[in-house]
Amino acid sequence: MPSPDLTEESFRASKKRSSAQKTKSSGSRRDGPSEASSAYREVLDMQKEMVRSLTEQNQALGADRRVLEQRCTEQSLQLQRSHQRVQSLERELSKALALQQVNRQSC
């Protein structure tokens, strides 16, 4: 997946090539439209590549988001189970302490 810097560099290089081609041309009217058409196609191709790259990035981010949502759901359920287990252990401990006090009082 190309980085945005690379596509910007490609765009700048394309503009420089186009500019250099214009200065090299003899200045005849026949060369102008074909150069402009060539530069237009080059920019259009570059934009299509950028759209393709952004689409890929968007799809990858969507997949990452789904994985993270699943992971959060699993961790939430695990946290709920742990909390229920802690509450259960607290109740058992409370009962054990109460029973121990009853036993001490009866001795």
Side-chain angles (χ1 to χ4, degrees):
M1 174 174 348
S3 74
D5 291 337
L6 290 178
T7 54
E8 286 181 36
E9 289 174 14
S10 300
F11 181 71
R12 287 189 198 113
S14 170
K15 286 177 75 176
K16 286 180 183 178
R17 282 194 304 270
S18 178
S19 179
Q21 288 174 351
K22 286 179 184 176
T23 56
K24 286 181 184 177
S25 72
S26 62
S28 70
R29 292 185 180 191
R30 276 187 271 151
D31 290 345
S34 67
E35 285 180 29
S37 178
S38 175
Y40 174 78
R41 282 191 300 274
E42 200 170 328
V43 169
L44 187 61
D45 289 343
M46 192 179 320
Q47 287 177 341
K48 286 179 183 177
E49 175 59 27
M50 290 172 73
V51 167
R52 186 197 61 74
S53 174
L54 290 172
T55 300
E56 287 178 3
Q57 290 176 15
N58 191 35
Q59 289 171 349
L61 289 171
D64 289 347
R65 180 185 52 80
R66 287 186 294 277
V67 167
L68 289 172
E69 284 175 348
Q70 179 64 31
R71 194 177 299 162
C72 285
T73 299
E74 291 170 359
Q75 288 178 350
S76 176
L77 291 172
Q78 185 178 14
L79 185 60
Q80 286 176 353
R81 287 190 295 265
S82 295
H83 184 67
Q84 289 170 350
R85 180 70 179 138
V86 165
Q87 287 178 331
S88 174
L89 290 172
E90 286 174 342
R91 284 191 299 271
E92 288 179 31
L93 180 60
S94 178
K95 289 177 186 177
L97 289 174
L99 185 61
Q100 186 179 22
Q101 282 181 342
V102 168
N103 288 340
R104 280 187 187 165
Q105 288 175 356
S106 63
C107 289

